[in-house]
Amino acid sequence: MLVGCVVILLLVGVRLGTRGPAPEAVRTPKAAPPATAIERGRAVYGRYGCAMCHGADGKGGFKNPNSETDGKVPAVIFVKEGFTAKEVAKKALDGQVLIGRQGGTGPTPPFRMPGWRGQMSAAEADDLTQFLFSLYPASAAQSWR
């Protein structure tokens, strides 16, 4: 019995002495937060799923039957033309519950703009606004001159 214990201890000792180094935790450096309001706004646009309806490029096109915007979710690349920065941020936070019907009749369009108040911070809404304003096409800006 004593010989068996000695053999076991010897084997354990050999095993401990010949094993490799303990694994080290591999940590990837945390990515720096986006530096500009436009970059942060692009991240907000992705995080809150805006692209699902307005498109990755902001040009809209997702079908919203019988909506007053030609039966589609509107593009957001032109918001700079019709809204102030404060109005766009408010729209992101409050959403738009009622969507107008094409011709004012027929069934209510099934999709609406959700509001993110309580989930999206005011700073995120401001950054989102800056991103949306950055989508305004240069060609459209030139046409106003």
Side-chain angles (χ1 to χ4, degrees), residues 58-108:
K59 294 181 181 175
F62 184 85
K63 293 198 182 309
N64 196 12
N66 203 41
S67 68
E68 65 187 346
T69 51
D70 294 327
K72 297 182 246 172
V73 172
V76 291
I77 61 173
F78 295 108
V79 295
K80 188 175 183 176
E81 284 183 357
F83 298 94
T84 66
K86 214 174 216 182
E87 290 170 331
V88 173
K90 183 174 178 357
K91 181 76 70 183
L93 295 172
D94 295 339
Q96 185 169 345
V97 177
L98 298 174
I99 303 296
R101 297 177 192 166
Q102 195 167 17
T105 60
T108 301

Side-chain angles (χ1 to χ4, degrees), residues 23-133:
E24 294 181 31
V26 176
R27 300 190 192 276
T28 55
K30 188 174 181 181
T36 68
I38 291 171
E39 291 168 343
R40 291 189 305 267
R42 182 185 318 275
V44 170
Y45 189 80
R47 187 169 40 251
Y48 286 91
C50 305
M52 289 173 52
C53 294
H54 295 290
D57 55 4
K59 294 181 181 175
F62 184 85
K63 293 198 182 309
N64 196 12
N66 203 41
S67 68
E68 65 187 346
T69 51
D70 294 327
K72 297 182 246 172
V73 172
V76 291
I77 61 173
F78 295 108
V79 295
K80 188 175 183 176
E81 284 183 357
F83 298 94
T84 66
K86 214 174 216 182
E87 290 170 331
V88 173
K90 183 174 178 357
K91 181 76 70 183
L93 295 172
D94 295 339
Q96 185 169 345
V97 177
L98 298 174
I99 303 296
R101 297 177 192 166
Q102 195 167 17
T105 60
T108 301
F111 302 106
R112 64 176 180 77
M113 170 75 186
W116 297 103
R117 190 171 300 281
Q119 297 168 25
M120 181 185 289
S121 70
E124 286 177 312
D126 291 340
D127 290 342
L128 176 63
T129 298
Q130 293 308 309
F131 169 66
L132 296 177
F133 280 9

